[in-house]
Amino acid sequence: MATKLEEAVAQRLEPWSAALGADRPVYTNHVLRVLSFCDALAGRTSGNTTAPSTREEFLTAAVFHDLGAWTANTFDYLAPSIDLAREWLTANSREDLIPLVVTMIDDHHKIRRAHGAEVELFRRADTIDVTAGLRRFGMARNDYRAVLDRYPATGFRPRLARFAAERTRAHPLSPFPMVKW
């Protein structure tokens, strides 16, 4: 039985099922891991009313943060992802969240600390997942493994490697355009 969070993520990703194709479960689990890591870093559990995963800005940023890689078919996906999030928030009368969600998406691959507590929390959660837990920002290994057991990363890193290889062949001087200082 799907949780409320899993249902919310699945519903939001539904319009892009065709673009995600066979990668839909790969991306869905990445989104769910990022949200779970946000909760863990904030010291909350999923479903807790104060957990980041229950907040619209985190849910929206997580669903859309990398989606542009599939919808725009590019590894330079920040702008397309931001556009998708902005459109979704506008269509759902949540324009008030656009500045924060845009910053969360735009800065989620910053090398240095991001400005703003929500932005930094989201950046750290995504970093935990992208680095396969090598960088956990104090999160216990058992907590990391529990999230991974629930939402396996099967296929995620190989897909990232394919995206990176394609980008590097096409743009050898700019292989990772989403990374910022």
Side-chain angles (χ1 to χ4, degrees):
M1 177 178 225
T3 66
K4 189 174 178 179
L5 177 60
E6 292 164 353
E7 289 173 3
V9 168
Q11 179 184 18
R12 287 167 194 241
L13 286 175
E14 185 58 36
W16 295 279
S17 289
L20 287 165
D23 287 337
R24 178 154 183 196
V26 171
Y27 187 65
T28 299
N29 278 2
H30 171 57
V31 170
L32 290 165
R33 285 191 306 274
V34 169
L35 287 167
S36 297
F37 294 144
C38 284
D39 290 350
L41 290 172
R44 304 287 185 247
T45 57
S46 182
N48 181 312
T49 57
T50 59
S53 65
T54 65
R55 294 172 50 188
E56 187 64 46
E57 62 272 25
F58 281 93
L59 186 54
T60 303
V63 165
F64 294 103
H65 76 286
D66 295 336
L67 191 56
W70 284 268
T71 62
N73 197 30
T74 180
F75 204 46
D76 191 3
Y77 56 81
L78 291 180
S81 296
I82 287 168
D83 290 343
L84 291 170
R86 186 180 282 122
E87 290 168 15
W88 194 92
L89 288 166
T90 300
N92 288 277
S93 301
R94 290 308 311 258
E95 294 90 347
D96 60 308
L97 293 178
I98 289 174
L100 177 57
V101 170
V102 164
T103 304
M104 291 170 81
I105 294 171
D106 201 36
D107 288 350
H108 81 274
H109 285 304
K110 275 189 76 158
I111 300 296
R112 296 185 208 159
R113 183 177 184 83
H115 296 288
E118 294 95 344
V119 180
E120 178 62 9
L121 178 61
F122 188 72
R123 183 191 74 84
R124 287 180 178 201
D126 186 71
T127 299
I128 290 169
D129 199 43
V130 169
T131 65
L134 292 175
R135 183 74 169 104
R136 293 191 314 275
F137 300 96
M139 178 188 289
R141 182 174 297 280
N142 289 342
D143 292 339
Y144 170 78
R145 292 295 313 155
V147 172
L148 201 60
D149 288 345
R150 181 165 184 110
Y151 306 115
T154 307
F156 180 64
R157 279 169 206 81
R159 185 62 181 118
L160 289 180
R162 284 192 304 276
F163 275 141
E166 291 166 7
R167 173 70 187 192
T168 301
R169 276 193 298 279
H171 303 280
L173 300 179
S174 176
F176 300 105
M178 77 298 282
V179 176
K180 299 179 176 191
W181 285 105

